[in-house]
Amino acid sequence: MDARRYRMVVTSQADYVRTGALVDEQLRHWLSGPPKGYDVDAFVEGRNEIAQGVTLDHDSVTAATGTYGRWRLRETARGGTWQTTVVTRQITDEPTWVQLDVEHLPDNPDAPPVPAKTPRLAKNLLDVLDARDGGADVTAMPQVVEAEDVESVIDELCDTDRRLPVVMASTPNGADFDTWLEETVDPLVRPLAGLAVLYVLTPEAESLLNRQLVYHRVYNGGVRTYLPGVDPAWPADGQRHRVMSRRLITERPPQARRILAQLPQSLATRLPLPDALDSVPVMRTRTRDGMGSSELERLRDENDVLHEILEEAGREQRVRADEIRDLKRELRQAETTETELVVDHDEQYKELHKARTQVRELQKRLVELGSAEQAYAPVDLSADAPTSFAEILDRIKAMPRVHFTGREKYTLDLDDQAYGSSWVRMAWDALLALRDFADASAGGKANSDFKQWCADAPEGSHVISPRKIVRAESKTVKTNSDWRRERTFPVPDGVHRDGKIFMGAHLRIGGGNTIAPRLHYYDGACAEHGVFIGYIGPHLTNTMT
């Protein structure tokens, strides 16, 4: 989607009054200083035309439920009008929001608007506001990340409530850090002021971050754009977060700046506004000269306001229609890509499952021939794998140390899904691994959790890839009472006195992010009581579903 308007949405750590004063001050300096040089005193004197073809309007509301103040600048230009809007908004018990929009309004409704560039006002505001996006600081220039900052930065990357992308720059091997920052990184990210959280890693921090984010690394002068909700344990998630090479950055700087800015600009206009800002009404203005001098003038003013509201509504409708069309196109592409990936994963898994079956048959044959040592491990001679989730639920009952305590309905519904056959095989492999882990724990042969056991299990044990295992849910999920309740499942009183426990540990069954089912389990009392499975079913609620 082409970014046609510039939009910055941040919160201020100052209160509403202080934030409003800072916004007013920076707006005044921006309007009166070069290159604009407008007569802002005219507004104070009661006139909203502060230069020829330039108007400045203001409205505000103070109520028990919330307060806002808004400035709108309109500058007439060839072929249309440039409109800049700044809103300061606070609702009870919420932080103070600041929104800055710049857009081109064509004179001809059928003409495409001119894309807006990042205004200098954005940098001016970020320089004085203690601006945040969730827990991350939003600054006009990149913040230097030292080694001791890496843990908190990773928390910000994984935060699914983050609105803005994080643009992370690294340093080429052997390059002087300060020179690279000032001559290359600063100019590269300058158009992203207010559109992204900007970081540059010191070499020490880069090394530490890459050791922890194996599938999301950035190094040797590359720049990576991290979307909200990074999943460090999932290799496929790394494909969501674009990487720009040092070669492009150094050999074609203008092209690199343009490409790097495209995604943050697009996200800024596509993302719905927070409720606090979305609830601000359409601006109603009237000429400030001689207001109310006659009934005729009052009616003319009201007529002008009505026309203005209708024009604004028409513009917004055209913008929304363009956004909906582009989003539908992106959705179709995403659905096609996801289906192809799932089908490809399914085919690969079938091949893997076939190879495993052949290995098991060879092991069985070796055992029959008296060469058990060459088979490396005892062979599972149990019946063939189940073909449905209904059969899986029945088979679990034969596993003395694996207990299913959830609702069977959610699991049985998976049999009706298009990818159910491969999901059954994957779920069965996971259950066999959980069974072996539970047995090993009871025998004192497993001194770790399930994920670590799968990484270090003795030969012959059933295991799954540790990458499919997530030890805990994100902080966002754990602190959301509704989502936490969804992941709380029954256990015996001897395991927890409440008769239920939060099961944040889970497995991904199949490919894809939210399309694949999840298996939630608790292995915290495995040696004494075994493994408890509280849920096998569709992905539970989070910010991505």
Side-chain angles (χ1 to χ4, degrees):
M1 178 188 298
D2 296 330
R4 299 176 180 87
R5 74 167 74 177
Y6 170 90
R7 168 167 286 173
M8 177 181 81
V9 174
V10 296
T11 59
S12 168
Q13 298 309 294
D15 61 26
Y16 174 80
V17 174
R18 175 60 178 162
T19 300
L22 291 171
V23 168
D24 292 355
E25 180 183 29
Q26 292 306 313
L27 181 66
R28 182 182 181 89
H29 289 333
W30 180 64
L31 292 174
S32 59
K36 295 187 180 297
Y38 295 151
D39 180 16
V40 293
D41 291 333
F43 186 86
V44 179
E45 296 166 1
R47 292 177 285 116
N48 67 341
E49 188 172 22
I50 58 176
Q52 184 174 358
V54 179
T55 60
L56 179 65
D57 296 299
H58 179 265
D59 70 338
S60 62
V61 168
T62 301
T65 56
T67 305
Y68 75 83
R70 171 170 48 193
W71 292 96
R72 185 182 66 190
L73 174 73
R74 283 183 169 173
E75 302 167 285
T76 303
R78 178 178 298 179
T81 300
W82 283 101
Q83 177 173 287
T84 302
T85 308
V86 188
V87 180
T88 307
R89 172 69 155 154
Q90 186 176 48
I91 291 181
T92 306
D93 298 328
E94 288 192 16
T96 302
W97 291 91
V98 177
Q99 175 187 348
L100 170 62
D101 280 7
V102 180
E103 59 186 321
H104 180 253
L105 312 174
D107 291 336
N108 181 358
D110 297 326
V114 178
K117 296 181 179 180
T118 302
R120 184 178 301 177
L121 178 59
K123 180 182 183 301
N124 296 347
L125 290 172
L126 292 175
D127 285 344
V128 299
L129 295 174
D130 187 5
R132 300 279 181 86
D133 174 42
D137 294 329
V138 183
T139 55
M141 302 304 290
Q143 306 167 72
V144 175
V145 178
E146 305 283 357
E148 58 267 25
D149 305 321
V150 168
E151 288 294 338
S152 61
V153 168
I154 290 177
D155 286 342
E156 292 171 11
L157 294 179
C158 298
D159 183 5
T160 53
D161 289 337
R162 171 165 54 89
R163 290 174 54 88
L164 300 182
V166 172
V167 175
M168 189 91 67
S170 61
T171 307
N173 297 329
D176 180 76
F177 177 77
D178 291 332
T179 302
W180 175 256
L181 172 61
E182 295 174 8
E183 296 182 0
T184 304
V185 176
D186 284 352
L188 177 68
V189 302
R190 191 168 289 122
L192 300 180
L195 299 174
V197 177
L198 307 175
Y199 288 130
V200 59
L201 295 160
T202 64
E204 296 79 9
E206 177 184 323
S207 177
L208 182 58
L209 181 134
N210 287 335
R211 285 202 299 271
Q212 298 192 47
L213 298 182
V214 177
Y215 309 115
H216 301 76
R217 292 181 292 180
V218 57
Y219 54 88
N220 197 28
V223 174
R224 192 156 197 165
T225 302
Y226 294 93
L227 297 175
V230 172
D231 186 344
W234 190 23
D237 181 65
Q239 299 175 21
R240 291 198 304 127
H241 313 284
R242 301 179 181 178
V243 180
M244 178 173 285
S245 69
R246 179 185 63 169
R247 182 174 180 179
L248 175 61
I249 294 168
T250 55
E251 294 183 1
R252 299 190 295 277
Q255 182 182 4
R257 277 195 297 273
R258 185 173 66 254
I259 293 173
L260 188 64
Q262 285 175 350
L263 181 59
Q265 288 171 343
S266 177
L267 291 174
T269 56
R270 279 169 34 184
L271 197 63
L273 286 171
D275 291 341
L277 292 170
D278 195 42
S279 60
V280 176
V282 174
M283 190 174 202
R284 301 181 60 180
T285 59
R286 63 177 64 186
T287 304
R288 304 182 86 221
D289 304 292
M291 288 173 51
S293 58
S294 72
E295 180 67 13
L296 179 59
E297 290 182 0
R298 184 184 67 78
L299 291 173
R300 286 174 176 169
D301 286 343
E302 291 185 354
N303 188 58
D304 289 342
V305 169
L306 179 59
H307 279 291
E308 187 175 343
I309 292 174
L310 291 173
E311 290 176 4
E312 184 78 19
R315 283 191 296 268
E316 286 296 322
Q317 188 176 24
R318 289 191 294 273
V319 170
R320 295 290 87 76
D322 290 341
E323 292 178 350
I324 290 171
R325 184 188 63 248
D326 292 341
L327 284 172
K328 285 181 176 178
R329 182 166 57 246
E330 290 185 13
L331 178 62
R332 285 195 298 270
Q333 293 172 348
E335 288 174 340
T336 300
T337 302
E338 184 171 35
T339 300
E340 290 173 351
L341 287 171
V342 170
V343 171
D344 181 59
H345 183 277
D346 189 27
E347 292 301 318
Q348 292 181 32
Y349 194 86
K350 286 178 181 177
E351 293 299 320
L352 176 60
H353 195 271
K354 181 179 179 181
R356 283 180 174 176
T357 301
Q358 292 173 345
V359 169
R360 294 281 172 84
E361 289 298 323
L362 288 172
Q363 290 178 328
K364 179 179 177 181
R365 183 63 178 158
L366 286 169
V367 171
E368 292 173 347
L369 293 174
S371 302
E373 291 183 1
Q374 296 181 32
Y376 300 107
V379 181
D380 184 9
L381 301 177
S382 61
D384 294 338
T387 58
S388 68
F389 280 97
E391 191 175 351
I392 277 183
L393 292 176
D394 190 59
R395 296 267 193 110
I396 292 177
K397 298 172 184 177
M399 298 180 178
R401 302 196 62 79
V402 177
H403 317 287
F404 181 77
T405 65
R407 295 185 61 184
E408 294 187 354
K409 176 184 181 302
Y410 300 130
T411 308
L412 296 174
D413 286 345
L414 296 176
D415 283 332
D416 297 328
Q417 301 297 314
Y419 313 108
S421 59
S422 62
W423 288 348
V424 169
R425 291 193 299 271
M426 297 175 202
W428 182 240
D429 285 346
L431 286 166
L432 292 177
L434 284 167
R435 181 199 64 185
D436 287 5
F437 166 67
D439 291 342
S441 297
K445 298 178 181 179
N447 299 313
S448 61
D449 64 6
F450 178 55
K451 181 170 184 173
Q452 188 61 45
W453 186 83
C454 281
D456 303 328
E459 289 182 341
S461 301
H462 291 89
V463 297
I464 61 172
S465 169
R467 299 173 185 175
K468 299 183 77 65
I469 305 169
V470 181
R471 285 190 171 104
E473 292 282 12
S474 67
K475 183 181 359 177
T476 304
V477 169
K478 287 189 285 189
T479 56
N480 183 301
S481 59
D482 290 336
W483 298 350
R484 185 179 181 87
R485 192 178 305 113
E486 274 191 336
R487 293 159 173 81
T488 300
F489 304 107
V491 292
D493 294 343
V495 176
H496 196 282
R497 62 179 180 275
D498 294 335
K500 57 185 178 181
I501 199 166
F502 175 72
M503 297 188 187
H506 60 275
L507 318 175
R508 277 190 293 268
I509 301 173
N513 189 2
T514 60
I515 190 175
R518 297 298 193 263
L519 182 156
H520 285 257
Y521 68 94
Y522 175 71
D523 63 354
C526 190
E528 301 81 15
H529 302 283
V531 173
F532 293 89
I533 299 172
Y535 180 84
I536 304 175
H539 196 303
L540 295 171
T541 310
N542 67 6
T543 56
M544 303 294 290
T545 54

